[in-house]
């Protein structure tokens, strides 16, 4: 779930912008600038993936995928997520213009953390990859929920109730996200394991021209 | 000053709370369906063409306005709107945004689709906040049939409505901001305002490929449906959807490599050609000033008079 316009105090949304821009610059420095167009194209794939709805009893939930993005892209995931949110703003207007910085932090920081978590946990076997994927997926969503609650609570004690309910609403999504990430990582391990080794966007090195 | 408490019987609860929520929910779902149908019909069925550059109604002042002025003005105005504290001021901002949208003849269905995207989050606030805000002195409370934990606080309702009005006012400006110029021109304007050129290129590329990949995803899910796959709440569905995502990533990552190679083969060197030559004239600044004056008036009204 993304924060919409008009919810956050202006100081929080401006602060969110400042921190996001700094993190995006740091994230961009982790790869060669020639490779950034690749990040853009990969972002569109994640964007399309995040539109998939999973049925959940009478309703359905759409995937957030910060964990998976972190696992596959590494630190560049922050840029990818910021870009994805900007696209969402362009195409659908979920999570509006003024809340963009806060939303990028809410999804991007968990992605970076999950990238590290995934790299630390994944071993050499199929099972360990799947477990690491599950951990990354579930942690990513859980962290995003905590950030969401934190941002909402920044509005004052009037928002504490909303923050609690928003957190509770994320619990089933955390389970689904963990399972989906585990299965997806397992699939990629069997089908195209080199994606999990270095990711698509390689860190700074020479490219053959 | 103590809070005002009204006691009403419990059977009012469905009448006053659950019925409006159900009606709202049904209305939103219905409208979303019709709006989606309408926008899908008048759009080119080929999704690889980004729909943002709408040339059909070019002629309004927003189409001719310098794109840099437009971006600065609308962004500043959005932040001003986000800082408004009173419902009346926020509603005035909604009226202003709506009049701009009407002036440039935004198709109603597209505007509706943007607003409906907000409905989930704002609906949650509107339902949750009246029951959860802490009671302050001077609040008006409604207690349903003596059930203490189910207390409706009018201050929460007012707060949630103010938030909703601010969100709607900003959301309605997105169409004037984005669809009155082709996306490359808007992004060029952003670059001239100091945004790194690479960022603009990335937006352009990913906007292009979102449509390509969603086309691909749709073909894959059509294939799955033909083979008898139906979504249910079970692990088999999760596993299948995960394989679907994995396949989408494999295909799109391979495509990414090919796209990137093709770009480099055509001599791509971190730059796209400039789409337009921007020139600022007095009328651009005049519109900018008029709009920002309206924003300042709103702030004055919100902070000092109300």
């Amino acid at each position: 779930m993304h924060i919409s316009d008009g919810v956050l105090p202006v100081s929080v949304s401006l602060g969110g912008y400042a921190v996001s821009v700094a993190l995006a610059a740091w994230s961009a420095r982790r790869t060669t600038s020639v490779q950034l167009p690749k990040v853009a194209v990969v972002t569109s794939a994640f964007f399309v993936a995040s539109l998939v709805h999973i049925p959940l009893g009478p309703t359905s939930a759409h995937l957030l995928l910060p964990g998976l993005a972190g696992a596959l892209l590494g630190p560049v995931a922050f840029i990818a997520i910021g870009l994805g949110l900007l696209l969402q703003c362009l195409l659908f207007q979920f999570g509006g213009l003024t809340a963009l910085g806060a939303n990028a932090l809410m999804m991007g920081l968990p992605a970076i953390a999950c990238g590290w978590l995934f790299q630390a946990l994944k071993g050499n076997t199929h099972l360990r990859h799947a477990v690491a994927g599950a951990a990354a997926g579930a942690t990513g969503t859980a962290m995003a929920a905590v950030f969401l609650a934190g941002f909402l609570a920044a509005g004052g004690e009037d928002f504490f109730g909303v923050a609690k309910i928003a957190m509770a609403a994320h619990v089933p999504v955390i389970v689904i996200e963990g399972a989906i990430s585990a299965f997806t990582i397992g699939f990629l391990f069997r089908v195209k394991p080199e994606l999990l080794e270095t990711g698509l966007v390689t860190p700074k090195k020479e490219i053959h021209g | 000053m103590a809070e005002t408490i009204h006691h009403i019987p419990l059977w009012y609860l469905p009448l006053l709370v659950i019925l409006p929520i159900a009606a709202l929910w049904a209305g939103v779902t219905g409208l979303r369906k019709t709006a989606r149908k309408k926008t899908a019909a008048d759009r080119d069925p080929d999704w690889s063409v980004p729909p943002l550059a709408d040339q059909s109604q070019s002629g309004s002042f927003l189409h001719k306005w310098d794109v840099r002025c437009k971006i600065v003005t609308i962004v500043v105005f959005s932040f001003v709107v986000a800082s408004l504290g009173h419902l009346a001021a926020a509603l005035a901002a909604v009226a202003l945004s709506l009049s701009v949208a009407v002036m440039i003849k935004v198709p109603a269905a597209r505007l509706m689709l943007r607003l409906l995207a907000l409905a989930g989050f704002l609906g949650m606030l509107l339902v949750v906040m009246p029951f959860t805000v802490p009671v302050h002195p001077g609040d008006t409370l409604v207690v349903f049939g003596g059930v203490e934990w189910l207390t409706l606080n009018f201050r929460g309702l007012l707060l949630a409505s103010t938030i909703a009005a601010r969100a709607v006012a900003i959301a309605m400006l997105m169409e004037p901001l984005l669809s009155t110029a082709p996306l490359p021109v808007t992004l060029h304007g952003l670059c001239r305002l100091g945004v790194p050129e690479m960022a603009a290129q990335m937006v352009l590329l990913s906007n292009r490929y979102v449509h390509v990949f969603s086309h691909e995803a749709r073909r894959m899910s059509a294939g799955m449906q033909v083979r008898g796959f139906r979504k249910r709440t079970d692990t088999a569905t999760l596993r299948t959807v995960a394989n679907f995502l994995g396949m989408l990533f494999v295909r799109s990552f391979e495509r990414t490599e090919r796209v990137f190679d093709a770009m480099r083969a055509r001599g791509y060197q971190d730059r796209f050609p400039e789409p337009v030559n921007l020139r600022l004239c007095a009328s651009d600044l005049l519109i900018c000033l008029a709009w920002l004056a309206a924003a300042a008036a709103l702030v004055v009204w919100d902070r000092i008079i109300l």
Side-chain angles (χ1 to χ4, degrees), chain A residues 6 53 57 90 93 158 195, chain B residues 114 155 166 174 231 233 253:
Chain A
H53 278 72
L90 292 181
Q93 174 68 30
D158 288 341
L195 277 186
Chain B
R114 279 194 183 267
R155 195 172 59 82
R166 291 194 295 233
M174 285 301 112
K231 282 184 181 175
T233 311
F253 280 31

Side-chain angles (χ1 to χ4, degrees), chain B:
Chain B
M1 186 166 59
E3 54 268 29
T4 330
I5 302 176
H6 301 281
H7 284 275
I8 56 173
L10 188 61
W11 60 268
Y12 272 27
L13 182 71
L15 205 67
L16 287 180
V17 179
I18 298 173
L19 213 62
I21 293 172
L24 198 73
W25 184 76
V28 163
T29 341
L31 276 176
R32 191 173 282 172
K33 265 191 191 145
T34 48
R36 209 161 270 161
K37 243 179 236 158
K38 266 193 187 155
T39 45
D42 64 16
R43 211 178 260 169
D44 197 332
D46 181 8
W47 272 76
S48 56
V49 180
L52 284 173
D54 201 345
Q55 292 293 320
S56 59
Q57 353 95 355
S58 54
S60 75
F61 77 95
L62 270 166
H63 289 85
K64 290 178 196 141
W65 199 8
D66 185 271
V67 68
R68 287 165 290 178
C69 287
K70 184 167 70 185
I71 293 168
V72 170
T73 310
I74 291 186
V75 169
V76 169
F77 184 74
S78 300
F79 275 99
V80 167
V81 170
S83 74
L84 295 175
H86 293 273
L87 182 59
L91 286 177
V94 172
L96 195 72
S97 299
L98 187 64
S99 58
V100 170
V102 169
M103 223 186 294
I104 64 159
K105 301 197 188 73
V106 176
R110 277 178 70 168
L111 201 60
M112 196 55 92
L113 216 52
R114 279 194 183 267
L115 294 184
L116 289 174
L118 289 172
F121 190 83
L122 296 180
M124 182 196 83
L125 286 185
L126 279 171
V127 172
V128 171
M129 287 193 75
F131 292 100
T132 56
V133 292
V135 178
H136 285 182
D139 287 356
T140 309
L141 305 176
V142 176
V143 180
F144 287 100
V147 188
E148 278 304 322
W149 53 269
L150 207 61
T151 309
L152 195 148
N153 190 336
F154 273 103
R155 195 172 59 82
L157 194 61
L158 188 71
L159 200 58
S161 326
T162 313
I163 289 173
R166 291 194 295 233
V168 166
I170 297 174
M172 279 201 292
L173 283 177
M174 285 301 112
E175 282 293 324
L177 174 65
L178 296 168
S179 71
T180 51
L183 187 60
V185 175
T186 308
L187 291 172
H188 180 60
L190 269 177
C191 288
R192 296 288 296 273
L193 287 169
V195 172
E197 210 165 316
M198 183 50 81
Q201 283 179 32
M202 290 174 75
V203 175
L204 211 56
L205 271 175
S206 46
N207 180 52
R208 169 75 176 76
Y209 280 93
V210 159
H211 299 283
V212 175
F213 291 147
S214 73
H215 198 177
E216 175 118 35
R218 213 160 326 142
R219 265 192 315 144
M220 282 164 66
S221 74
M224 284 158 73
Q225 289 205 349
V226 167
R227 293 188 191 92
F229 170 70
R230 297 288 179 274
K231 282 184 181 175
R232 288 184 201 90
T233 311
D234 54 10
T235 23
T237 305
L238 288 184
R239 189 185 290 270
T240 315
V241 171
N243 288 353
F244 166 82
L245 290 185
M247 206 58 226
L248 185 71
F249 288 142
V250 168
R251 287 188 183 183
S252 53
F253 280 31
E254 281 169 355
R255 187 166 208 151
T256 303
E257 292 290 349
R258 293 201 301 273
V259 168
F260 187 54
D261 287 347
M263 279 167 67
R264 287 168 61 79
R266 284 166 179 76
Y268 170 75
Q269 293 215 313
D270 293 8
R271 287 185 69 92
F272 287 155
E274 289 198 356
V276 282
N277 215 350
L278 295 179
R279 208 167 278 139
L280 209 59
C281 60
S283 62
D284 293 330
L285 288 174
L286 214 64
I287 303 174
C288 183
L289 273 181
W291 199 323
L292 291 180
L298 270 179
V299 172
V300 168
W301 187 39
D302 184 59
R303 290 286 149 78
I304 298 166
I305 300 173
L306 278 177

